[in-house]
PDB file of all heavy atoms in Angstrom:
ATOM      1  N   VAL U1280      22.312  19.234 -27.291  1.00 90.00           N
ATOM      2  CA  VAL U1280      21.018  19.878 -26.948  1.00 90.00           C
ATOM      3  C   VAL U1280      20.315  18.999 -25.958  1.00 90.00           C
ATOM      4  O   VAL U1280      19.776  19.598 -24.965  1.00 90.00           O
ATOM      5  CB  VAL U1280      20.112  20.128 -28.158  1.00 90.00           C
ATOM      6  CG1 VAL U1280      18.750  20.481 -27.776  1.00 90.00           C
ATOM      7  CG2 VAL U1280      20.762  21.172 -29.038  1.00 90.00           C
ATOM      8  N   CYS U1281      20.248  17.704 -26.100  1.00 91.00           N
ATOM      9  CA  CYS U1281      19.606  16.788 -25.220  1.00 91.00           C
ATOM     10  C   CYS U1281      20.288  16.804 -23.808  1.00 91.00           C
ATOM     11  O   CYS U1281      19.646  16.789 -22.799  1.00 91.00           O
ATOM     12  CB  CYS U1281      19.616  15.402 -25.728  1.00 91.00           C
ATOM     13  SG  CYS U1281      18.385  15.116 -27.059  1.00 91.00           S
ATOM     14  N   LEU U1282      21.656  16.758 -23.869  1.00 94.00           N
ATOM     15  CA  LEU U1282      22.366  16.831 -22.534  1.00 94.00           C
ATOM     16  C   LEU U1282      22.080  18.144 -21.789  1.00 94.00           C
ATOM     17  O   LEU U1282      21.978  18.091 -20.624  1.00 94.00           O
ATOM     18  CB  LEU U1282      23.838  16.727 -22.878  1.00 94.00           C
ATOM     19  CG  LEU U1282      24.377  15.301 -23.137  1.00 94.00           C
ATOM     20  CD1 LEU U1282      25.863  15.340 -23.596  1.00 94.00           C
ATOM     21  CD2 LEU U1282      24.159  14.282 -22.108  1.00 94.00           C
ATOM     22  N   THR U1283      22.024  19.252 -22.550  1.00 93.00           N
ATOM     23  CA  THR U1283      21.732  20.595 -21.984  1.00 93.00           C
ATOM     24  C   THR U1283      20.347  20.486 -21.381  1.00 93.00           C
ATOM     25  O   THR U1283      20.209  20.987 -20.170  1.00 93.00           O
ATOM     26  CB  THR U1283      21.866  21.603 -23.005  1.00 93.00           C
ATOM     27  OG1 THR U1283      23.179  21.663 -23.550  1.00 93.00           O
ATOM     28  CG2 THR U1283      21.586  22.947 -22.336  1.00 93.00           C
ATOM     29  N   LEU U1284      19.379  20.000 -22.031  1.00 89.00           N
ATOM     30  CA  LEU U1284      18.020  19.920 -21.546  1.00 89.00           C
ATOM     31  C   LEU U1284      17.991  18.973 -20.354  1.00 89.00           C
ATOM     32  O   LEU U1284      17.247  19.317 -19.370  1.00 89.00           O
ATOM     33  CB  LEU U1284      17.072  19.435 -22.644  1.00 89.00           C
ATOM     34  CG  LEU U1284      16.778  20.436 -23.678  1.00 89.00           C
ATOM     35  CD1 LEU U1284      16.060  19.802 -24.854  1.00 89.00           C
ATOM     36  CD2 LEU U1284      15.970  21.652 -23.148  1.00 89.00           C
ATOM     37  N   ALA U1285      18.678  17.900 -20.292  1.00 91.00           N
ATOM     38  CA  ALA U1285      18.717  17.050 -19.189  1.00 91.00           C
ATOM     39  C   ALA U1285      19.317  17.779 -18.020  1.00 91.00           C
ATOM     40  O   ALA U1285      18.747  17.647 -16.763  1.00 91.00           O
ATOM     41  CB  ALA U1285      19.659  15.733 -19.432  1.00 91.00           C
ATOM     42  N   ALA U1286      20.356  18.529 -18.141  1.00 92.00           N
ATOM     43  CA  ALA U1286      20.934  19.235 -17.047  1.00 92.00           C
ATOM     44  C   ALA U1286      20.016  20.347 -16.508  1.00 92.00           C
ATOM     45  O   ALA U1286      19.953  20.675 -15.294  1.00 92.00           O
ATOM     46  CB  ALA U1286      22.217  19.830 -17.472  1.00 92.00           C
ATOM     47  N   LEU U1287      19.191  20.861 -17.427  1.00 88.00           N
ATOM     48  CA  LEU U1287      18.374  21.968 -17.053  1.00 88.00           C
ATOM     49  C   LEU U1287      17.017  21.624 -16.469  1.00 88.00           C
ATOM     50  O   LEU U1287      16.355  22.434 -15.831  1.00 88.00           O
ATOM     51  CB  LEU U1287      18.013  22.923 -18.239  1.00 88.00           C
ATOM     52  CG  LEU U1287      19.152  23.687 -18.777  1.00 88.00           C
ATOM     53  CD1 LEU U1287      18.772  24.425 -20.019  1.00 88.00           C
ATOM     54  CD2 LEU U1287      19.697  24.707 -17.725  1.00 88.00           C
ATOM     55  N   GLN U1288      16.660  20.273 -16.544  1.00 84.00           N
ATOM     56  CA  GLN U1288      15.292  19.914 -16.145  1.00 84.00           C
ATOM     57  C   GLN U1288      15.031  20.209 -14.704  1.00 84.00           C
ATOM     58  O   GLN U1288      13.919  20.730 -14.435  1.00 84.00           O
ATOM     59  CB  GLN U1288      15.171  18.454 -16.374  1.00 84.00           C
ATOM     60  CG  GLN U1288      14.929  18.085 -17.878  1.00 84.00           C
ATOM     61  CD  GLN U1288      13.892  19.045 -18.523  1.00 84.00           C
ATOM     62  OE1 GLN U1288      12.788  18.964 -18.169  1.00 84.00           O
ATOM     63  NE2 GLN U1288      14.318  19.624 -19.533  1.00 84.00           N
ATOM     64  N   PRO U1289      15.834  19.941 -13.708  1.00 80.00           N
ATOM     65  CA  PRO U1289      15.425  20.198 -12.333  1.00 80.00           C
ATOM     66  C   PRO U1289      15.151  21.720 -12.052  1.00 80.00           C
ATOM     67  O   PRO U1289      14.197  22.054 -11.489  1.00 80.00           O
ATOM     68  CB  PRO U1289      16.711  19.726 -11.492  1.00 80.00           C
ATOM     69  CG  PRO U1289      17.283  18.728 -12.347  1.00 80.00           C
ATOM     70  CD  PRO U1289      17.089  19.150 -13.772  1.00 80.00           C
ATOM     71  N   ALA U1290      15.970  22.558 -12.750  1.00 81.00           N
ATOM     72  CA  ALA U1290      15.811  23.997 -12.451  1.00 81.00           C
ATOM     73  C   ALA U1290      14.473  24.466 -13.210  1.00 81.00           C
ATOM     74  O   ALA U1290      13.759  25.275 -12.699  1.00 81.00           O
ATOM     75  CB  ALA U1290      17.073  24.812 -12.997  1.00 81.00           C
ATOM     76  N   LEU U1291      14.287  24.010 -14.429  1.00 75.00           N
ATOM     77  CA  LEU U1291      13.102  24.437 -15.167  1.00 75.00           C
ATOM     78  C   LEU U1291      11.784  23.934 -14.503  1.00 75.00           C
ATOM     79  O   LEU U1291      10.848  24.643 -14.319  1.00 75.00           O
ATOM     80  CB  LEU U1291      13.181  23.833 -16.608  1.00 75.00           C
ATOM     81  CG  LEU U1291      14.239  24.476 -17.517  1.00 75.00           C
ATOM     82  CD1 LEU U1291      14.324  23.660 -18.789  1.00 75.00           C
ATOM     83  CD2 LEU U1291      13.954  25.899 -17.778  1.00 75.00           C
ATOM     84  N   VAL U1292      11.752  22.657 -13.976  1.00 68.00           N
ATOM     85  CA  VAL U1292      10.613  22.181 -13.313  1.00 68.00           C
ATOM     86  C   VAL U1292      10.411  22.983 -12.014  1.00 68.00           C
ATOM     87  O   VAL U1292       9.253  23.248 -11.729  1.00 68.00           O
ATOM     88  CB  VAL U1292      10.665  20.708 -13.186  1.00 68.00           C
ATOM     89  CG1 VAL U1292       9.554  20.198 -12.263  1.00 68.00           C
ATOM     90  CG2 VAL U1292      10.676  20.020 -14.550  1.00 68.00           C
ATOM     91  N   ARG U1293      11.456  23.194 -11.324  1.00 71.00           N
ATOM     92  CA  ARG U1293      11.366  24.007 -10.046  1.00 71.00           C
ATOM     93  C   ARG U1293      10.752  25.414 -10.310  1.00 71.00           C
ATOM     94  O   ARG U1293       9.933  25.897  -9.593  1.00 71.00           O
ATOM     95  CB  ARG U1293      12.683  24.181  -9.312  1.00 71.00           C
ATOM     96  CG  ARG U1293      12.962  23.092  -8.233  1.00 71.00           C
ATOM     97  CD  ARG U1293      14.118  23.528  -7.349  1.00 71.00           C
ATOM     98  NE  ARG U1293      15.309  23.941  -8.083  1.00 71.00           N
ATOM     99  CZ  ARG U1293      16.181  23.106  -8.557  1.00 71.00           C
ATOM    100  NH1 ARG U1293      16.032  21.789  -8.421  1.00 71.00           N
ATOM    101  NH2 ARG U1293      17.277  23.585  -9.154  1.00 71.00           N
ATOM    102  N   HIS U1294      11.224  25.990 -11.384  1.00 67.00           N
ATOM    103  CA  HIS U1294      10.786  27.261 -11.735  1.00 67.00           C
ATOM    104  C   HIS U1294       9.234  27.222 -12.226  1.00 67.00           C
ATOM    105  O   HIS U1294       8.497  28.145 -11.712  1.00 67.00           O
ATOM    106  CB  HIS U1294      11.565  27.881 -12.888  1.00 67.00           C
ATOM    107  CG  HIS U1294      11.094  29.265 -13.400  1.00 67.00           C
ATOM    108  ND1 HIS U1294      11.411  30.369 -12.618  1.00 67.00           N
ATOM    109  CD2 HIS U1294      10.430  29.632 -14.511  1.00 67.00           C
ATOM    110  CE1 HIS U1294      10.862  31.381 -13.230  1.00 67.00           C
ATOM    111  NE2 HIS U1294      10.291  30.967 -14.362  1.00 67.00           N
ATOM    112  N   ALA U1295       8.920  26.127 -12.836  1.00 64.00           N
ATOM    113  CA  ALA U1295       7.475  26.051 -13.242  1.00 64.00           C
ATOM    114  C   ALA U1295       6.668  25.797 -11.996  1.00 64.00           C
ATOM    115  O   ALA U1295       5.514  26.264 -11.822  1.00 64.00           O
ATOM    116  CB  ALA U1295       7.212  24.845 -14.095  1.00 64.00           C
ATOM    117  N   ASP U1296       7.116  25.068 -11.056  1.00 62.00           N
ATOM    118  CA  ASP U1296       6.446  24.835  -9.804  1.00 62.00           C
ATOM    119  C   ASP U1296       6.231  26.103  -8.977  1.00 62.00           C
ATOM    120  O   ASP U1296       5.166  26.322  -8.407  1.00 62.00           O
ATOM    121  CB  ASP U1296       7.093  23.738  -8.904  1.00 62.00           C
ATOM    122  CG  ASP U1296       6.996  22.303  -9.492  1.00 62.00           C
ATOM    123  OD1 ASP U1296       5.981  22.137 -10.314  1.00 62.00           O
ATOM    124  OD2 ASP U1296       7.717  21.435  -9.075  1.00 62.00           O
ATOM    125  N   LYS U1297       7.296  26.910  -9.027  1.00 62.00           N
ATOM    126  CA  LYS U1297       7.140  28.280  -8.242  1.00 62.00           C
ATOM    127  C   LYS U1297       6.086  29.149  -8.921  1.00 62.00           C
ATOM    128  O   LYS U1297       5.252  29.748  -8.256  1.00 62.00           O
ATOM    129  CB  LYS U1297       8.489  29.002  -8.269  1.00 62.00           C
ATOM    130  CG  LYS U1297       9.496  28.521  -7.330  1.00 62.00           C
ATOM    131  CD  LYS U1297      10.766  29.326  -7.294  1.00 62.00           C
ATOM    132  CE  LYS U1297      11.732  28.727  -6.480  1.00 62.00           C
ATOM    133  NZ  LYS U1297      13.059  29.518  -6.560  1.00 62.00           N
ATOM    134  N   ASP U1298       6.034  29.172 -10.316  1.00 56.00           N
ATOM    135  CA  ASP U1298       5.034  29.907 -10.996  1.00 56.00           C
ATOM    136  C   ASP U1298       3.663  29.377 -10.582  1.00 56.00           C
ATOM    137  O   ASP U1298       2.793  30.167 -10.363  1.00 56.00           O
ATOM    138  CB  ASP U1298       5.111  29.817 -12.563  1.00 56.00           C
ATOM    139  CG  ASP U1298       6.327  30.603 -13.006  1.00 56.00           C
ATOM    140  OD1 ASP U1298       6.865  31.452 -12.148  1.00 56.00           O
ATOM    141  OD2 ASP U1298       6.630  30.470 -14.265  1.00 56.00           O
ATOM    142  N   ARG U1299       3.560  28.023 -10.546  1.00 55.00           N
ATOM    143  CA  ARG U1299       2.332  27.427 -10.278  1.00 55.00           C
ATOM    144  C   ARG U1299       1.874  27.772  -8.862  1.00 55.00           C
ATOM    145  O   ARG U1299       0.753  28.011  -8.531  1.00 55.00           O
ATOM    146  CB  ARG U1299       2.331  25.932 -10.525  1.00 55.00           C
ATOM    147  CG  ARG U1299       1.086  25.216 -10.483  1.00 55.00           C
ATOM    148  CD  ARG U1299       1.249  23.732 -10.817  1.00 55.00           C
ATOM    149  NE  ARG U1299       2.639  23.193 -10.583  1.00 55.00           N
ATOM    150  CZ  ARG U1299       3.060  22.234 -11.168  1.00 55.00           C
ATOM    151  NH1 ARG U1299       2.411  21.637 -12.142  1.00 55.00           N
ATOM    152  NH2 ARG U1299       4.285  21.768 -10.936  1.00 55.00           N
ATOM    153  N   GLU U1300       2.751  27.715  -7.937  1.00 56.00           N
ATOM    154  CA  GLU U1300       2.617  27.880  -6.506  1.00 56.00           C
ATOM    155  C   GLU U1300       2.285  29.395  -6.170  1.00 56.00           C
ATOM    156  O   GLU U1300       1.328  29.652  -5.449  1.00 56.00           O
ATOM    157  CB  GLU U1300       3.831  27.469  -5.690  1.00 56.00           C
ATOM    158  CG  GLU U1300       3.614  27.574  -4.213  1.00 56.00           C
ATOM    159  CD  GLU U1300       4.810  26.967  -3.484  1.00 56.00           C
ATOM    160  OE1 GLU U1300       5.473  26.129  -4.020  1.00 56.00           O
ATOM    161  OE2 GLU U1300       5.058  27.438  -2.315  1.00 56.00           O
ATOM    162  N   TYR U1301       3.071  30.385  -6.657  1.00 53.00           N
ATOM    163  CA  TYR U1301       2.876  31.671  -6.330  1.00 53.00           C
ATOM    164  C   TYR U1301       2.112  32.611  -7.217  1.00 53.00           C
ATOM    165  O   TYR U1301       1.499  33.600  -6.938  1.00 53.00           O
ATOM    166  CB  TYR U1301       4.216  32.359  -6.148  1.00 53.00           C
ATOM    167  CG  TYR U1301       4.979  31.706  -5.025  1.00 53.00           C
ATOM    168  CD1 TYR U1301       6.098  30.923  -5.289  1.00 53.00           C
ATOM    169  CD2 TYR U1301       4.578  31.776  -3.690  1.00 53.00           C
ATOM    170  CE1 TYR U1301       6.899  30.289  -4.246  1.00 53.00           C
ATOM    171  CE2 TYR U1301       5.301  31.143  -2.745  1.00 53.00           C
ATOM    172  CZ  TYR U1301       6.415  30.392  -3.066  1.00 53.00           C
ATOM    173  OH  TYR U1301       7.057  29.807  -1.970  1.00 53.00           O
ATOM    174  N   GLY U1302       2.174  32.293  -8.565  1.00 50.00           N
ATOM    175  CA  GLY U1302       1.717  33.130  -9.601  1.00 50.00           C
ATOM    176  C   GLY U1302       0.310  32.750 -10.252  1.00 50.00           C
ATOM    177  O   GLY U1302      -0.265  33.595 -10.841  1.00 50.00           O
ATOM    178  N   GLN U1303      -0.003  31.499  -9.962  1.00 52.00           N
ATOM    179  CA  GLN U1303      -1.233  31.063 -10.601  1.00 52.00           C
ATOM    180  C   GLN U1303      -2.010  30.284  -9.730  1.00 52.00           C
ATOM    181  O   GLN U1303      -1.534  29.565  -8.784  1.00 52.00           O
ATOM    182  CB  GLN U1303      -0.886  30.302 -11.868  1.00 52.00           C
ATOM    183  CG  GLN U1303      -0.050  30.908 -12.875  1.00 52.00           C
ATOM    184  CD  GLN U1303       0.415  29.999 -13.971  1.00 52.00           C
ATOM    185  OE1 GLN U1303       0.148  28.830 -13.913  1.00 52.00           O
ATOM    186  NE2 GLN U1303       1.119  30.473 -14.923  1.00 52.00           N
ATOM    187  N   PRO U1304      -3.343  30.144  -9.970  1.00 48.00           N
ATOM    188  CA  PRO U1304      -4.129  29.335  -9.192  1.00 48.00           C
ATOM    189  C   PRO U1304      -3.822  27.836  -9.539  1.00 48.00           C
ATOM    190  O   PRO U1304      -3.466  27.506 -10.600  1.00 48.00           O
ATOM    191  CB  PRO U1304      -5.659  29.559  -9.522  1.00 48.00           C
ATOM    192  CG  PRO U1304      -5.475  30.481 -10.866  1.00 48.00           C
ATOM    193  CD  PRO U1304      -4.149  31.017 -10.871  1.00 48.00           C
ATOM    194  N   GLN U1305      -4.041  26.927  -8.468  1.00 49.00           N
ATOM    195  CA  GLN U1305      -3.680  25.581  -8.718  1.00 49.00           C
ATOM    196  C   GLN U1305      -4.821  24.976  -9.612  1.00 49.00           C
ATOM    197  O   GLN U1305      -6.007  25.349  -9.514  1.00 49.00           O
ATOM    198  CB  GLN U1305      -3.656  24.843  -7.413  1.00 49.00           C
ATOM    199  CG  GLN U1305      -2.579  25.210  -6.452  1.00 49.00           C
ATOM    200  CD  GLN U1305      -1.308  24.765  -7.138  1.00 49.00           C
ATOM    201  OE1 GLN U1305      -1.087  23.688  -7.515  1.00 49.00           O
ATOM    202  NE2 GLN U1305      -0.292  25.649  -7.129  1.00 49.00           N
TER     203      GLN U1305
END
Side-chain angles (χ1 to χ4, degrees):
V1280 169
C1281 287
L1282 287 173
T1283 303
L1284 288 169
L1287 291 174
Q1288 287 312 301
L1291 290 171
V1292 172
R1293 263 195 313 276
H1294 182 70
D1296 286 341
K1297 282 183 186 176
D1298 283 352
R1299 194 174 23 204
E1300 185 177 328
Y1301 298 113
Q1303 302 174 355
Q1305 293 293 314

